[in-house]
């Protein structure tokens, strides 16, 4: 029994024909610049059809976003054109790759369960989908000493992988910690700043679902009588990195993922950046590494598998600076999405 509103059904298309299908309908609830606040951990509670208008600041373009969330059997489906519901590309320079509409579909189980052991995130699997239809793809295919440092590092055992969200990594993300892949897919590398109130005035909502079906919350949770920010248990190493062949040397400063170490009990969250609260496990966005998730407590759905491990690279065709133009701060908060 299907419980959903889908653009595919209205056009007589099937999910098997997705490759040639483009979402163009403007019907649905407008979620432009919304602030999420619902806290339901069940993906079926977000079923609906949504639209938004998003401004590409540096390219001076306006694009329409489309998202359909549906339930089919024991899975929730998220089908979107991967355009965000907020302004983007607002840095000092335009993204090396221009954002273009996609046709992506992710599915998550409606009944997530812990697997016998965690599954590390990797270049072969997208990590999550947020409730604006944009995916989370945390890792970069860039490592110290491999090619130009931005592409070509597909061996997950390779040390000194760059952290795209780090200050010194120079991956040209916008104020939402996102940018575009070579095929134009907009995706997040860290905190999606436009989706929730980022202070302790309220408990954070669910902002999306990881590939294993567990919910992803914003950073703030109720701790006894206090609302406070969830703290990661990953700590920046002290001292200097090894130098010599294959090692970057220099101070541990967060440029590389290997600059961090998990210290159990040093924060609120486990090795995957999640915790169980009031009987519900979920991942929590953190202001520092690993930002969203670092492994899957459950079993990732195959729909998050990438076509090839090289999909997430960051080859640069050259700077596309807009002379005399600076990116603005994050867009003003819009209406609340119940």
């Amino acid at each position: 029994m299907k419980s959903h509103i889908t653009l595919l059904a209205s056009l007589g298309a099937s999910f098997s024909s997705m490759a040639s299908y483009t979402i163009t309908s403007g019907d649905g609830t407008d979620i432009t610049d919304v602030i999420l606040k619902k806290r339901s951990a069940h993906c079926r509670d977000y079923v609906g059809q949504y639209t938004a208008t998003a401004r590409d600041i540096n390219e001076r373009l306006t694009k329409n976003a489309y998202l359909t969330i549906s339930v089919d059997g024991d899975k929730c489906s998220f089908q979107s054109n991967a355009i965000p519901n907020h302004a983007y590309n607002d840095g000092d320079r335009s993204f090396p790759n221009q954002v273009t509409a996609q046709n992506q579909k992710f599915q998550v189980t409606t009944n997530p369960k812990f697997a016998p052991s965690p599954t590390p995130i990797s270049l072969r699997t997208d990590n999550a989908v947020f409730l604006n239809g944009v995916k989370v793809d945390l890792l970069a295919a860039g490592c110290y000493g491999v090619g130009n440092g931005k592409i070509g590092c597909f061996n997950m055992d390779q040390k000194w992988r760059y952290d795209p969200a780090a200050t010194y990594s120079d991956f040209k993300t916008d104020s939402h910690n996102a940018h575009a892949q070579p095929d134009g897919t907009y995706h997040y590398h860290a905190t999606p700043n436009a989706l929730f109130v980022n202070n302790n005035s309220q408990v954070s909502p669910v902002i999306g679902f990881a590939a294993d079906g567990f919910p992803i919350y914003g950073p703030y949770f109720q701790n006894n009588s206090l609302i406070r920010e969830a703290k990661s248990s990953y700590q920046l190493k002290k001292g200097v990195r090894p130098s010599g062949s294959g090692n970057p040397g220099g101070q541990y400063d967060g440029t590389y993922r290997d600059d961090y170490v998990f210290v159990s009990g040093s924060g609120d969250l486990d090795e995957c950046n999640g915790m169980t609260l009031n009987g519900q496990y979920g991942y929590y966005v953190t202001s520092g590494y690993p930002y969203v998730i670092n492994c899957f407590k459950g079993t990732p759905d195959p729909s998050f598998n990438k076509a090839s491990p090289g999909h997430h690279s960051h080859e640069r065709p050259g700077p596309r600076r807009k002379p005399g133009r600076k990116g603005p701060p994050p867009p003003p908060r819009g209406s609340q999405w119940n």
Side-chain angles (χ1 to χ4, degrees), residues 197-219:
V197 174
N198 199 6
N199 59 53
N200 65 354
S201 63
Q202 58 186 270
V203 175
S204 294
V206 167
I207 62 172
F209 290 85
D212 60 5
F214 284 110
I216 299 172
Y217 296 90

Side-chain angles (χ1 to χ4, degrees), residues 17-38:
S17 64
M18 252 188 61
S20 61
Y21 176 71
T22 303
I23 303 172
T24 58
S25 173
D27 297 334
T29 302
D30 188 346
I31 59 170
T32 303
D33 289 336
V34 297
I35 296 175
L36 305 175
K37 69 176 187 177
K38 185 181 289 187

